[in-house]
Amino acid sequence: MAAPGWPLLLPLLPPLLLLFPLLLLPPPAASAPGRAPPAARALEPGLEERFFQQVRDHFSFQTDGNETFPQRYLVSAKFWKKGFGPIFFYTGNEGDIWTFARNSDFIFELAEEQQALVIFAEHRYYGKSLPFGLESTQPKQTGLLTVEQALADYAVLIAELKQQLGAADCPVIAFGGSYGGMLSAYMRMKYPNLVAGALAASAPLLSVAGLGDPAQFFRDVTADFQKASPGCVTAVRKAFQQIKDLCLSGAYDEISSKMATCNKISNKEDVYQLFGFARNAFTMMAMMDYPYKTDFMGHLPANPVKVGCEQILAHTDPIQGLAALVGVFYNSSGSAQCYDIYRLYQACADPTGCGTGSDAEAWDYQVCTEINLTFNSNNVTDMFPEMPFTEAMREQYCWGKWRVRPRAQWLQTNFWGGDLRSTSNIIFSNGDLDPWAGGGINSSLSPSLIALTIQGGAHHLDLRGSNPADPPCVTAMRKLEADIIDDWVKSVRVERAREQRPGGPAGRWL
C-alpha cells in the first residue's frame, strides 16, 4: 500500500528548463596514487562476434516453433588447447553481451591458465539477439522472453558448438554475474549433461524466487554508506526529510532549485519521481563500489560510495549535498547543468532500476513475469523515503504495462527455491559490499555447493580482471575459484577415461 499522499505511478510533465549549475566538488582522482588500474584489454583477447540461428520457441512443435532468429555470441580460441581444454561459457544477462565480456577479465585470465575456449552468449531479447527484430519488446511479441527459453538457447548453442569445433570431450564450465550468475547455476541444475560446473557470482537466487526480506536490499545499500562515513546516512535522511517538508508546504520551486532539476517540480508525483531517481543513484553506487574507476554500468570513480558521502558532507545545505551526491552517478563528467529526472530514471517493476532503452523494456517484462523483485524502502531500516512496492502493486503495474500477471511462486517450483542440495558443482560468490548478496546463497550447502564471501567486494568483483587496487580477499578467492574449477575439469576427464577403458561403466555422472 502506497504511503498516504505519495502515489506510485508517475505522469510525465512538460519540460521547463531550469539552468541551475549542479553543486559538485571537483571530480576525484581515478584511483589512489600509485595504484592506477592496468590498461583495458582491446576488445578482450581474440574475441570474435558471431551469430547462430537459434530456435525461437524450444517448447513448441507447431510450424512456428521451427522459426529461428540470429543469436549473437562471442568466441575466443586464443588460449584454447583444441579438443582438450575446457570451454568457459558465459551465460549472458540483461544487456549487450559486449558489456559483460569487457568486464569479466577473470574468465580470460583463467582461460590462459587452463587452456580454455571462451564463449560469451547473448540473452534473447537483449543486444542484437532479437527474436522479432525491432518489434521484440512489443507486448504481443514478448511471450518467448522467459528464463526457460534462454537456458534452452544456451544448451542448444553449447551442443552445436561442441560438435562444430571438435570439442565433444571438452568439459563446459558456466560463468555468470548477477542475473547471469543465476543462469549459470540454473544451467548446471537443468543441463548437467552439458555443464560440469558453474560459477554463480552475485546471484540473488533466493530473493528473485520470493524468498527474501523485502526490506533487505535498501537496508544493505544504507549499510554500505554507513560504513563509508558515519555521518553520511544522517545527512541523507535529513536531505530527504527536508524535501518532503518543502513538498508538504508547497515549496516546489525551492526543491527544483536545490536539486537542480530540468523539469520544474510542481506536485507530489514529481517529488515521488525525484525520490526514485535519487534512490537509484545510491543503488548503482553501492553495487559498483569498486576500488578503481569503472565504466561498467555508468562512469564511476574509485570507491563511489565514499566519494558520494564526501560530496553530501561537504555541503552545509543537505538538499544541495544530496544533489551533489547523486551527481557522482548521474553527472560523472561534471558538465550537466540540470537533472532530467524522468529521462534519467524510469520507474518499472524492478525497484532497483531497469535502466532505459529497449534492454530496459525487456527486463521490465521479465520482472513482471518470473522474477520477483518486490523490494521497498521504509525509512526505518533504511535511509530512504517510504516507497512501498507490494505484490499487489507489482501486479497492477504489470497488467497495465504488459497485460501479464506475475507468477510469484514459479521460480521456487521450477528452480528449486532455496533447496539446491540435489545439485552439485556450483560456486556461489558474493561480496560483502554488494546489496544483492543478502538475497543469495551465503552458506555452503554441500562439499560441492560452495559459498564464498569476498570481504571488500562489490557486485561480482571476482569476475573482473586482476587490478593492483583489488582487496586481498578477492585475489585469494579468485585463486580458490580457479582451483575448484580445475578440479571439476580434471574429475570429468578422469571419469571419461574410466568409461573408455574396457569394461568401463556405460554411463557417467558429472
Side-chain angles (χ1 to χ4, degrees):
M1 181 177 179
W6 300 92
L8 177 67
L9 300 180
L10 315 166
L12 289 173
L13 291 179
L16 178 62
L17 188 63
L18 301 176
L19 296 176
F20 296 117
L22 302 187
L23 302 173
L24 286 171
L25 296 176
S31 56
R35 303 186 70 183
R41 298 174 189 263
L43 296 182
E44 307 312 324
L47 274 179
E48 179 184 343
E49 181 175 296
R50 298 180 184 174
F51 288 86
F52 174 73
Q53 284 303 312
Q54 186 60 263
V55 177
R56 266 188 187 167
D57 186 354
H58 296 281
F59 308 108
S60 171
F61 293 91
Q62 303 301 318
T63 303
D64 58 358
N66 296 321
E67 295 175 350
T68 63
F69 72 96
Q71 180 184 15
R72 181 166 58 167
Y73 67 98
L74 314 176
V75 60
S76 172
K78 179 175 181 179
F79 306 118
W80 190 35
K81 186 175 182 180
K82 185 175 174 61
F84 178 80
I87 298 172
F88 292 166
F89 188 92
Y90 186 95
T91 51
N93 29 328
E94 69 280 26
D96 186 302
I97 193 60
W98 278 110
T99 300
F100 304 109
R102 288 170 175 146
N103 288 277
S104 303
D105 270 1
F106 171 62
I107 297 174
F108 297 98
E109 294 171 1
L110 191 58
E112 186 170 11
E113 291 177 14
Q114 300 191 13
Q115 301 177 304
L117 177 72
V118 176
I119 298 169
F120 280 77
E122 190 164 70
H123 195 297
R124 58 170 52 206
Y125 285 83
Y126 294 96
K128 292 183 179 180
S129 300
L130 305 175
F132 299 96
L134 298 179
E135 302 288 317
S136 294
T137 54
Q138 294 300 309
K140 290 183 179 180
Q141 307 289 20
T142 52
L144 299 178
L145 175 51
T146 66
V147 171
E148 294 80 6
Q149 294 280 4
L151 295 176
D153 288 343
Y154 298 150
V156 169
L157 182 60
I158 288 170
E160 181 65 25
L161 291 181
K162 289 187 78 171
Q163 182 178 354
Q164 286 182 13
L165 300 172
D169 293 327
C170 298
V172 177
I173 306 298
F175 292 78
S178 196
Y179 172 52
M182 293 165 47
L183 296 176
S184 69
Y186 292 163
M187 282 298 293
R188 172 60 185 168
M189 293 158 60
K190 288 288 188 178
Y191 298 99
N193 57 314
L194 295 173
V195 173
L199 171 53
S202 299
L205 290 158
L206 301 181
S207 58
V208 298
L211 296 172
D213 176 359
Q216 169 264 316
F217 188 88
F218 292 110
R219 180 189 67 217
D220 290 354
V221 172
T222 300
D224 283 349
F225 282 81
Q226 181 67 27
K227 290 175 191 174
S229 177
C232 191
V233 168
T234 300
V236 171
R237 284 182 178 274
K238 188 173 183 180
F240 281 125
Q241 184 59 50
Q242 285 190 8
I243 292 172
K244 188 171 182 179
D245 291 343
L246 289 171
C247 174
L248 293 174
S249 66
Y252 296 119
D253 286 350
E254 187 172 349
I255 299 172
S256 300
S257 173
K258 289 184 175 182
M259 282 300 296
T261 60
C262 301
N263 299 336
K264 182 179 178 181
I265 302 294
S266 59
N267 52 42
K268 291 180 180 179
E269 287 81 2
D270 288 347
V271 173
Y272 201 86
Q273 172 70 9
L274 178 67
F275 285 162
F277 159 85
R279 191 179 68 175
N280 186 61
F282 286 91
T283 295
M284 299 306 297
M285 291 160 67
M287 287 172 56
M288 304 294 113
D289 196 20
Y290 300 127
Y292 45 81
K293 181 181 179 181
T294 57
D295 297 300
F296 179 25
M297 298 174 72
H299 305 290
L300 287 170
N303 305 301
V305 169
K306 179 176 180 290
V307 172
C309 286
E310 290 171 350
Q311 293 284 350
I312 194 169
L313 293 173
H315 286 77
T316 56
D317 185 287
I319 300 177
Q320 291 179 338
L322 178 64
L325 185 153
V326 302
V328 174
F329 176 67
Y330 289 117
N331 187 28
S332 58
S333 68
S335 62
Q337 292 297 302
C338 60
Y339 297 127
D340 186 340
I341 63 173
Y342 283 100
R343 181 182 63 82
L344 293 171
Y345 173 74
Q346 296 170 8
C348 67
D350 179 354
T352 72
C354 289
T356 58
S358 61
D359 287 346
E361 289 289 288
W363 183 243
D364 189 34
Y365 178 82
Q366 286 199 262
V367 291
C368 270
T369 50
E370 297 177 292
I371 295 171
N372 297 274
L373 291 174
T374 50
F375 296 126
N376 62 70
S377 55
N378 56 37
N379 200 233
V380 177
T381 61
D382 58 67
M383 61 185 169
F384 303 106
E386 184 178 358
M387 299 180 71
F389 190 60
T390 64
E391 194 58 52
M393 289 177 172
R394 177 190 181 209
E395 184 168 328
Q396 180 183 12
Y397 169 85
C398 294
W399 180 254
K401 175 72 180 288
W402 298 105
R403 285 295 185 264
V404 295
R405 299 194 189 281
R407 296 181 185 174
Q409 306 301 315
W410 178 238
L411 288 187
Q412 292 185 40
T413 302
N414 199 30
F415 294 103
W416 315 358
D419 188 4
L420 308 179
R421 291 169 294 176
S422 56
T423 189
S424 62
N425 291 7
I426 304 175
I427 300 168
F428 305 99
S429 62
N430 285 287
D432 68 343
L433 299 181
D434 184 9
W436 288 104
I441 305 295
N442 291 292
S443 298
S444 295
L445 305 177
S446 77
S448 69
L449 295 174
I450 304 162
L452 302 178
T453 299
I454 301 167
Q455 302 296 325
H459 203 46
H460 48 73
L461 175 63
D462 50 330
L463 290 184
R464 301 185 65 82
S466 300
N467 189 291
D470 279 334
C473 188
V474 75
T475 303
M477 290 301 175
R478 289 191 189 116
K479 176 64 168 62
L480 179 56
E481 290 167 353
D483 290 344
I484 293 169
I485 290 168
D486 188 44
D487 286 344
W488 290 342
V489 170
K490 288 176 178 175
S491 294
V492 172
R493 289 177 180 149
V494 167
E495 186 61 30
R496 284 179 175 159
R498 184 182 298 119
E499 291 173 7
Q500 292 168 4
R501 290 200 302 265
R508 66 175 180 84
W509 296 93
L510 292 179

